[in-house]
Amino acid sequence: MATIKPFRAIRPIAEKAQKVAALPYDVMSSDEAREMAKENPDSFLHIDKAEIDLPACIDIYDERVYQKAKENMDSMIQRGIFIQDEKPLFYIYRLTTNGKSQTGLVACTSIDEYLNNTIKKHELTRADKEIDRIRHVDTLNANTGPIFLAYHKNESVKKILHSIIKQNKPVYDFVSEDCVEHTVWLIQEQKYITELVTLFKNIPSLYIADGHHRNASAVKVGLKRRKQKQNYTGKEEFNYYLSVLFADDELCIMDYNRVVTDLNGMTEEVFLEKLNEKFLVEKYQKEGCARPQKRHQFGMYLHKNWYLLTAKNHIIQKDVVAALDVSILQKEILEPLLAIKDPRTDKRIDFVGGIRGLEALQKKVDSQQMQVAFSMYPTSMAELTAVADENKIMPPKSTWFEPKLRSGLFIHDLEE
């Protein structure tokens, strides 16, 4: 059963929502964030990446960064940029791009259900990234970035959300710089809140789509608070964290592509010959970039030529992780041929999100930054949930979700 709980969101006033809303902290560098926010004092980046308001020589994990984040959030509350709702509510957050919408329910979810695997994972997390967000959440006493969760589609939930949208005006409706429309409604009626809580009790699992580090960090802050409060009841706000829940049939996973610096000492001819042992290798004859059209097919850009690589049957396995295209690429090409054993740490490989287009791969190779690029067929939601249901882990950089949720539209106070 999935537990969801309404909360009193700290959120921007309507006329400031577009200025406040910012991309997640982990999709940009400090320099990029500094540039994005330099003429916008209301940007949430001043809270989520507060190092932008300190000298560039200061380490991003310095204690002064977390204190600056708290100072900035307190200042924005005092200046009236943020308000807090008077009673616990749910919220609807819809993102629309290119005529396609995904409609999420903003709620708090339970740290215990993360621990007992009702909220399922598919990625490993890194300790250094966890520590950063633990310190951020702990210092601000708030969840500032929502966790992106998915659930198997439920027609009753969908009906309620659409009914509320039809009956009410949104509190926010704006288009961000990447042409995504962000629309938010309040769910104020107690009958709808009660119905949604009841419906989710019959949904067996939630799945982390994006935000594994934020999720792990929120849970660890909650556990820390439990140790500090001897007689905790389990109902305190720190037992829950900020999430946005989407039906799985509305979500879009894009390709997450790879580029490699060199061919590990091989000539192009030898490399192509070795690929032929496990893949059908065809030079791409059409104009433009080679985008895979089905599972177990890959595009490859090498020496100004695009190829399509189709995996031969004998290398395709039934195991849910081994059958993933990212696994096949790693096991059959990156590790044995290009000597990339750990793509998390190897400096010879880089990853390019599908939102940048395949032309970005071609550009990296043509500029001689890289020697070979691989375009991927997107991982599906069915593959993601199958891996999570078996309590297994996907290889790194398996999924790229678009559009990205904006941070700053909802803050969850841990001491409500």
Side-chain angles (χ1 to χ4, degrees):
M1 124 180 149
T3 301
I4 60 170
K5 191 177 90 67
F7 69 106
R8 293 178 60 214
I10 298 171
R11 57 186 181 84
I13 57 176
E15 57 268 33
K16 290 290 188 177
Q18 185 170 5
K19 287 284 190 180
V20 169
L23 285 165
Y25 75 97
D26 53 357
V27 302
M28 70 195 77
S29 68
S30 299
D31 288 340
E32 289 170 332
R34 195 172 282 111
E35 183 66 24
M36 289 176 176
K38 68 178 183 180
E39 295 180 1
N40 180 7
D42 300 328
S43 171
F44 201 70
L45 292 175
H46 295 288
I47 295 172
D48 245 6
K49 290 186 75 68
E51 68 269 17
I52 67 175
D53 295 325
L54 295 170
C57 61
I58 292 178
D59 186 87
I60 62 172
Y61 303 129
D62 191 288
E63 177 60 25
R64 287 170 287 182
V65 175
Y66 305 102
Q67 293 301 326
K68 187 63 177 178
K70 179 171 174 51
E71 175 188 322
N72 288 344
M73 187 173 81
D74 290 346
S75 172
M76 291 175 76
I77 291 172
Q78 291 165 6
R79 289 189 288 123
I81 304 300
F82 287 112
I83 57 172
Q84 185 170 25
D85 288 312
E86 294 182 357
K87 63 178 184 178
L89 306 175
F90 288 139
Y91 307 83
I92 297 173
Y93 181 12
R94 171 175 283 178
L95 298 93
T96 305
T97 181
N98 298 324
K100 177 178 171 56
S101 294
Q102 58 187 60
T103 302
L105 175 65
V106 185
C108 283
T109 47
S110 164
I111 69 171
D112 288 307
E113 292 184 358
Y114 177 92
L115 295 169
N116 69 24
N117 212 37
T118 296
I119 298 172
K120 297 188 175 186
K121 311 90 180 161
H122 68 268
E123 286 184 8
L124 296 174
T125 55
R126 282 173 42 185
D128 58 336
K129 289 189 174 183
E130 280 189 27
I131 291 169
D132 168 50
R133 284 302 103 174
I134 288 169
R135 294 175 67 188
H136 192 272
V137 171
D138 212 16
T139 303
L140 273 63
N141 203 30
N143 303 131
T144 58
I147 314 304
F148 185 169
L149 299 179
Y151 59 93
H152 291 308
K153 65 178 180 179
N154 182 292
E155 290 302 321
S156 297
V157 172
K158 183 177 181 179
K159 184 176 180 181
I160 290 175
L161 298 185
H162 284 208
S163 176
I164 294 167
I165 288 170
K166 189 174 181 181
Q167 295 174 29
N168 297 274
K169 291 184 177 180
V171 290
Y172 309 141
D173 190 10
F174 63 89
V175 177
S176 53
E177 68 281 354
D178 55 353
C179 300
V180 178
E181 183 178 9
H182 303 263
T183 315
V184 172
W185 293 263
L186 309 184
I187 303 181
Q188 303 184 75
E189 299 87 343
Q190 188 58 47
K191 67 172 184 176
Y192 289 135
I193 293 174
T194 302
E195 285 179 25
L196 288 166
V197 169
T198 301
L199 285 169
F200 272 88
K201 285 181 179 178
N202 294 315
I203 292 176
S205 300
L206 302 175
Y207 300 87
I208 302 174
D210 200 8
H212 280 77
H213 287 92
R214 291 192 295 278
N215 204 325
S217 302
V219 169
K220 289 182 178 179
V221 170
L223 293 175
K224 179 181 177 182
R225 298 291 175 92
R226 285 181 177 183
K227 288 183 179 179
Q228 294 169 342
K229 186 178 177 66
Q230 292 182 348
N231 298 315
Y232 81 90
T233 65
K235 295 182 179 179
E236 298 89 351
E237 285 298 317
F238 59 70
N239 292 288
Y240 302 88
Y241 58 90
L242 178 63
S243 300
V244 187
L245 297 81
F246 292 90
D248 57 358
D249 64 331
E250 294 188 8
L251 298 180
C252 173
I253 303 179
M254 298 188 73
D255 43 305
Y256 213 156
N257 304 305
R258 277 79 167 136
V259 286
V260 180
T261 58
D262 61 84
L263 296 182
N264 191 32
M266 285 180 284
T267 65
E268 293 169 18
E269 293 75 15
V270 170
F271 182 55
L272 289 169
E273 183 179 332
K274 289 184 176 294
L275 287 176
N276 265 303
E277 296 173 9
K278 297 179 179 180
F279 297 86
L280 173 63
V281 181
E282 303 171 283
K283 185 173 284 190
Y284 193 63
Q285 301 297 339
K286 300 178 183 179
E287 290 187 10
C289 306
R291 182 176 297 280
Q293 298 301 306
K294 58 184 179 181
R295 288 182 70 202
H296 310 327
Q297 188 176 76
F298 308 82
M300 182 179 73
Y301 188 65
L302 177 67
H303 195 225
K304 298 192 178 297
N305 288 306
W306 277 101
Y307 298 84
L308 279 176
L309 314 180
T310 304
K312 294 180 179 179
N313 289 336
H314 72 275
I315 68 168
I316 299 173
Q317 300 184 38
K318 292 183 179 180
D319 178 82
V320 291
V321 175
L324 294 171
D325 284 353
V326 287
S327 297
I328 293 172
L329 182 72
Q330 177 62 32
K331 183 181 178 183
E332 306 297 345
I333 299 178
L334 297 181
E335 183 171 351
L337 302 185
L338 301 180
I340 295 172
K341 295 183 179 180
D342 186 353
R344 294 177 186 275
T345 58
D346 199 309
K347 301 298 184 184
R348 295 170 54 237
I349 188 171
D350 199 3
F351 304 89
V352 182
I355 192 66
R356 297 175 182 260
L358 299 188
E359 293 78 12
L361 305 182
Q362 187 169 315
K363 184 177 180 180
K364 282 182 175 289
V365 174
D366 287 345
S367 67
Q368 298 184 353
Q369 297 177 57
M370 301 288 176
Q371 191 170 358
V372 62
F374 299 96
S375 59
M376 309 293 294
Y377 189 74
T379 303
S380 70
M381 278 302 301
E383 289 175 313
L384 184 154
T385 56
V387 170
D389 283 339
E390 292 194 17
N391 298 320
K392 293 182 176 179
I393 299 298
M394 285 184 167
K397 312 295 186 183
S398 293
T399 59
W400 180 282
F401 282 90
E402 284 289 340
K404 299 293 184 187
L405 306 183
R406 285 320 194 256
S407 295
L409 296 178
F410 312 95
I411 298 172
H412 171 230
D413 188 343
L414 295 186
E415 286 191 2
E416 186 50 41

